[in-house]
Amino acid sequence: MRWKGGRAGGGVEDRRGKKTGAMAGGGIGVIIIALIGYFVFDIDPSTTQQIASQFAGSGASEQSGEVGTPEDEAGRFVDVIGTNINDVWSRQMSGYKPPNTVIYTQGTSTGCGYGQAAMGPFYCPADQTVYLDLSFWQTMEQRLGASGADFARAYVIAHEFGHHLQTLTGTSQKVRQAQQSARSQADANRYSVALELQADCYAGVWAANAADVSGGRVALEAGDLEEGLKTANAIGDDALQRNAGRAVTPENFTHGTSEERMMWLRRGYQTGNPNACDTFADL
């Protein structure tokens, strides 16, 4: 993927190396890693708060970091890709307001409770912030068999920005309301799947428009889409359940099957149009 000549917006808050309040309970990392199959791209804020209240003891202290463009390549990648995503959505959506972006190490305070690296990248609607521990790239590639290509990583970021779009449009709020009146947990999970698949589709829409808004300085190259699809395939609920040695149970899906995730990422990319991302039509 071409990105090193792209524009950096300077809006990344870098908390890496910042100390935070310790979480009680030595097994918390193991417990959350056990959940990674369900929350590999993000974690529901209410779940984050439940985990924090159960295991964080007195809670994490508030943190802040330096805001700007990180000097290292991994940090700059987050800034350039995030800036390009914002440029795309500023064209696509009237009144678009970019999310905050925080990169951190191991754990950090958030508006949704205590965030930890093993949760995977996540978006918190309470403070409209995307949280990324960059060590997750290695987890995604080594433990989940996802691609290590630049676009695969950018897809993860774009997916989280997709959740920000859903907050701005009110989609996330409508989903929570629908889930509260759902007849069963399985029905509630169907709304979660639709929300996640729409974020995948939005990631594809961004990828289709990245070159246009950047004069070609940020753009997919040959084989990049295939690498993104490989990652989508690796993190489908069915693939994660199989890899964990469990039976595939569709009623417990929260993000969609491998096939669905690949389909919606591809649809967003092929159309370049967010209107093509209605994953709720069949609910």
Side-chain angles (χ1 to χ4, degrees):
M1 181 179 185
R2 188 183 312 127
W3 68 271
K4 291 187 178 179
R7 183 174 73 88
V12 173
E13 182 181 346
D14 191 349
R15 297 183 185 176
R16 291 175 295 180
K18 300 289 184 180
K19 293 183 179 180
T20 186
M23 297 185 75
I28 181 62
V30 175
I31 291 167
I32 297 182
I33 287 173
L35 297 174
I36 198 168
Y38 294 102
F39 306 117
V40 64
F41 269 121
D42 40 45
I43 187 167
D44 182 88
S46 62
T47 306
T48 307
Q49 289 172 325
Q50 289 170 13
I51 293 171
S53 64
Q54 291 175 20
F55 299 106
S58 60
S61 59
E62 291 295 322
Q63 287 178 276
S64 62
E66 183 176 348
V67 177
T69 299
E71 295 182 359
D72 64 300
E73 183 168 305
R76 183 173 180 82
F77 176 80
V78 171
D79 192 357
V80 170
I81 296 301
T83 299
N84 186 258
I85 296 169
N86 286 328
D87 288 345
V88 167
W89 290 115
S90 292
R91 284 194 184 184
Q92 295 278 346
M93 178 182 175
S94 177
Y96 175 77
K97 179 183 176 182
N100 304 307
T101 302
V102 170
I103 54 178
Y104 68 96
T105 304
Q106 296 184 339
T108 192
S109 57
T110 83
C112 296
Y114 187 83
Q116 199 175 38
M119 296 172 180
F122 63 96
Y123 171 73
C124 172
D127 56 15
Q128 297 193 2
T129 301
V130 172
Y131 290 91
L132 303 165
D133 183 312
L134 304 189
S135 66
F136 183 73
W137 306 144
Q138 285 69 49
T139 300
M140 186 174 73
E141 293 147 20
Q142 296 170 6
R143 298 187 182 182
L144 304 177
S147 170
D150 284 339
F151 177 64
R153 299 179 179 194
Y155 159 43
V156 174
I157 299 172
H159 176 100
E160 298 308 329
F161 276 63
H163 286 311
H164 179 61
L165 280 172
Q166 292 166 331
T167 294
L168 295 180
T169 59
T171 302
S172 294
Q173 295 89 321
K174 291 177 182 178
V175 164
R176 285 195 291 272
Q177 291 171 0
Q179 288 176 319
Q180 289 172 359
S181 59
R183 292 173 296 179
S184 65
Q185 186 60 51
D187 284 343
N189 287 346
R190 290 175 62 223
Y191 286 98
S192 294
V193 168
L195 199 70
E196 298 301 330
L197 294 178
Q198 187 176 67
D200 282 340
C201 186
Y202 284 161
V205 171
W206 157 71
N209 292 279
D212 184 49
V213 302
S214 66
R217 291 185 294 274
V218 177
L220 271 66
E221 298 176 309
D224 281 339
L225 179 61
E226 289 71 24
E227 293 296 337
L229 293 170
K230 179 181 177 182
T231 296
N233 181 66
I235 48 79
D237 284 324
D238 52 341
L240 291 165
Q241 287 181 349
R242 272 192 219 96
N243 291 339
R246 300 202 301 271
V248 174
T249 53
E251 64 273 16
N252 292 325
F253 289 174
T254 58
H255 285 65
T257 66
S258 295
E259 182 179 355
E260 288 171 330
R261 300 201 74 161
M262 290 190 292
M263 181 188 76
W264 284 104
L265 174 61
R266 187 186 290 112
R267 180 175 298 185
Y269 182 74
Q270 290 176 340
T271 64
N273 184 355
N275 293 327
C277 297
D278 184 7
T279 56
F280 296 90
D282 296 331
L283 291 179

